[in-house]
């Protein structure tokens, strides 16, 4: 059952990458990632015992004594290495962006010859070339690690590639000493290791999408109370014809609506001398704006200077800070009421 589930998850990742190519420019690197993840999905599918048996029945004699499914597994992982090498090549400063497409075609052409040789001649040769490709990808990935959404995706993808290289090396050793390849469904850790490799690569390929979606969901939860208060007070900031369903777009829209409502509450951008100079501390500034947003007729006076995002902070981060302070003011108010009772 895990074979089928793993294949489903990797194919979903491939579908997600196809979706990004459809909604964004189909650059050479984006198309290469689609090919790479689809190749991994095909390899995982060939690892399903029932699928492997069905593929072998298409050519009962195999090719040069090796089962067809085994040779196709080598071919799919080779295709992964070839396609990801195109992406890795684009990350090196010595590679010209202007000639990247021509370089990609040369890599694909060489890869096609290698894949043909692996299928029709030597599986061992195919695994050797896969190992070399994985080594190049791993070195490139390690050079580009960074604590960002993209960097974390690269780390996962590179980790999967490193494991794929190790498994390719073990396959070379097995063939070199004359042992048969491990068949799908055979007991042991070999095929589960390939499944783990495939999942790491698939998750790494779509990590940016996953992380941005999670961040958008958290943002929507954080600003929910502030958003409800402000749009109830200023419903005109919401365009009723909007039918946004994507979580990231919805979060961006709500941030913009909150900023518009705060602007309207200041009187359309008026500056009031009594408001004073905005506090330098982001926390203090957000707390005052939050108290004023909850009770505009209270003692706190805020003008357009206060609601403008502080220097170095994006509108999204600024609205998050106000929303956190808005929640704290609600908690403090409840505590004060409880003590008064």
């Amino acid at each position: 059952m895990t074979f089928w589930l793993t294949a489903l998850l990797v194919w979903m990742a491939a579908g997600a990458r196809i979706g990004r190519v459809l909604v964004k420019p189909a650059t050479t690197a984006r198309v290469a990632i689609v090919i790479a993840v689809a190749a991994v999905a095909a390899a995982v599918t060939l690892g399903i015992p029932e699928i492997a048996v069905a593929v072998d029945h298409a050519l009962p004699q195999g090719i040069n004594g090796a089962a067809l499914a085994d040779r196709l597994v080598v071919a799919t992982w080779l295709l992964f290495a070839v396609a990801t090498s195109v992406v890795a090549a684009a990350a090196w400063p010595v590679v010209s962006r202007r000639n990247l497409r021509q370089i990609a075609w040369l890599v694909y052409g060489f890869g096609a010859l290698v894949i043909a040789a692996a299928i029709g001649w030597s599986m061992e040769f195919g695994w050797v070339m896969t190992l070399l490709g994985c080594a190049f990808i791993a070195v490139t990935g390690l050079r580009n690690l960074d604590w960002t959404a993209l960097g974390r995706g690269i780390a996962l993808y590179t980790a999967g590639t490193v494991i794929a290289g190790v498994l390719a090396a073990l396959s070379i050793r097995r063939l070199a000493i004359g042992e048969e390849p491990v068949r799908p469904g055979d007991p042991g850790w070999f095929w589960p290791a390939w499944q783990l490799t495939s999942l790491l690569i698939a998750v790494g390929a779509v990590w940016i999408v996953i992380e941005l979606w999670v961040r958008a969901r958290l943002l929507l939860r954080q600003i929910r109370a502030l958003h409800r208060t402000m749009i109830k007070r200023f419903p005109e900031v919401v365009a009723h014809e909007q039918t946004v369903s994507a979580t990231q777009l919805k979060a961006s829209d709500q941030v913009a609506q909150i900023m518009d409502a705060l602007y309207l509450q200041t009187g359309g951008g008026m500056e009031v001398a009594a408001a004073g100079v905005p506090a330098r501390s982001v926390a203090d500034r957000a707390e005052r704006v939050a108290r004023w947003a909850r009770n505009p007729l209270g003692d706190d006076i805020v003008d357009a200077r206060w609601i403008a995002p502080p220097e170095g902070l994006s509108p999204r981060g600024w609205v998050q800070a106000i929303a956190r302070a808005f929640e704290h003011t609600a908690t403090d108010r409840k505590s004060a009421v409880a003590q008064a009772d």
Side-chain angles (χ1 to χ4, degrees):
M1 186 63 184
T2 57
F3 287 93
W4 290 97
L5 181 59
T6 302
L8 174 63
L9 293 174
V10 180
W11 277 115
M12 288 174 62
R17 292 304 315 185
I18 292 172
R20 286 183 69 83
V21 169
L22 293 177
V23 300
K24 291 191 173 185
T27 62
T28 302
R30 288 197 180 106
V31 173
I33 294 176
V34 170
I35 296 172
V37 180
V40 173
V44 176
T45 304
L46 290 167
I48 300 172
E50 296 84 356
I51 300 295
V53 171
V55 171
D56 288 338
H57 283 328
L59 199 64
Q61 302 301 321
I63 301 176
N64 292 336
L68 178 60
D70 291 338
R71 290 188 177 273
L72 291 180
V73 167
V74 181
T76 51
W77 280 107
L78 256 175
L79 180 58
F80 157 78
V82 169
T84 309
S85 294
V86 173
V87 183
W92 287 85
V94 295
V95 176
S96 170
R97 297 294 183 274
R98 182 178 302 176
N99 299 324
L100 181 59
R101 181 167 296 182
Q102 289 76 11
I103 294 172
W105 280 115
L106 290 174
V107 174
Y108 287 134
F110 176 74
L113 295 175
V114 173
I115 290 171
I119 293 176
W121 174 51
S122 171
M123 290 174 56
E124 189 174 356
F125 171 74
W127 283 125
V128 169
M129 297 305 295
T130 301
L131 176 59
L132 293 176
C134 288
F136 171 65
I137 296 162
V139 170
T140 306
L142 292 173
R143 288 183 68 255
N144 291 276
L145 291 182
D146 189 17
W147 193 248
T148 60
L150 177 60
R152 288 185 283 273
I154 291 174
L156 290 170
Y157 199 97
T158 303
T161 304
V162 169
I163 299 175
V166 172
L167 294 173
L170 293 175
S171 298
I172 295 169
R173 177 182 177 277
R174 191 178 185 91
L175 292 171
I177 62 178
E179 294 185 6
E180 293 294 325
V182 180
R183 296 292 296 165
D186 286 354
W189 55 267
F190 192 75
W191 277 102
W194 276 119
Q195 291 177 329
L196 174 62
T197 300
S198 303
L199 289 174
L200 284 173
I201 292 170
V203 173
V206 297
W207 180 258
I208 294 180
V209 178
I210 295 172
E211 184 167 328
L212 291 180
W213 182 86
V214 171
R215 285 184 179 183
R217 293 298 302 174
L218 292 174
L219 176 63
L220 287 171
R221 180 176 296 181
Q222 289 174 344
I223 68 176
R224 183 183 302 158
L226 177 62
H227 182 257
R228 286 178 179 174
T229 299
M230 299 312 297
I231 65 171
K232 184 176 181 180
R233 197 173 294 161
F234 299 99
E236 62 269 26
V237 301
V238 180
H240 295 287
E241 67 274 9
Q242 289 179 341
T243 57
V244 175
S245 58
T247 301
Q248 296 175 40
L249 294 178
K250 184 177 180 181
S252 297
D253 285 346
Q254 290 196 8
V255 167
Q257 290 163 9
I258 290 171
M259 290 298 295
D260 289 345
L262 291 173
Y263 179 81
L264 291 175
Q265 189 164 293
T266 64
M270 294 178 57
E271 291 189 6
V272 181
V277 179
R280 296 179 64 87
S281 169
V282 174
D284 293 342
R285 186 169 171 177
E287 185 177 354
R288 180 164 171 176
V289 173
R291 290 197 304 266
W292 169 79
R294 185 174 292 280
N295 183 16
L297 301 179
D299 297 331
D300 294 294
I301 301 176
V302 169
D303 61 11
R305 295 172 298 170
W306 283 80
I307 66 169
E311 185 177 354
L313 197 62
S314 67
R316 176 174 292 207
W318 175 229
V319 168
Q320 278 184 298
I322 298 172
R324 286 193 293 267
F326 193 81
E327 291 289 342
H328 292 158
T329 60
T331 303
D332 295 342
R333 187 176 180 182
K334 290 179 182 177
S335 300
V337 171
Q339 291 176 0
D341 292 341

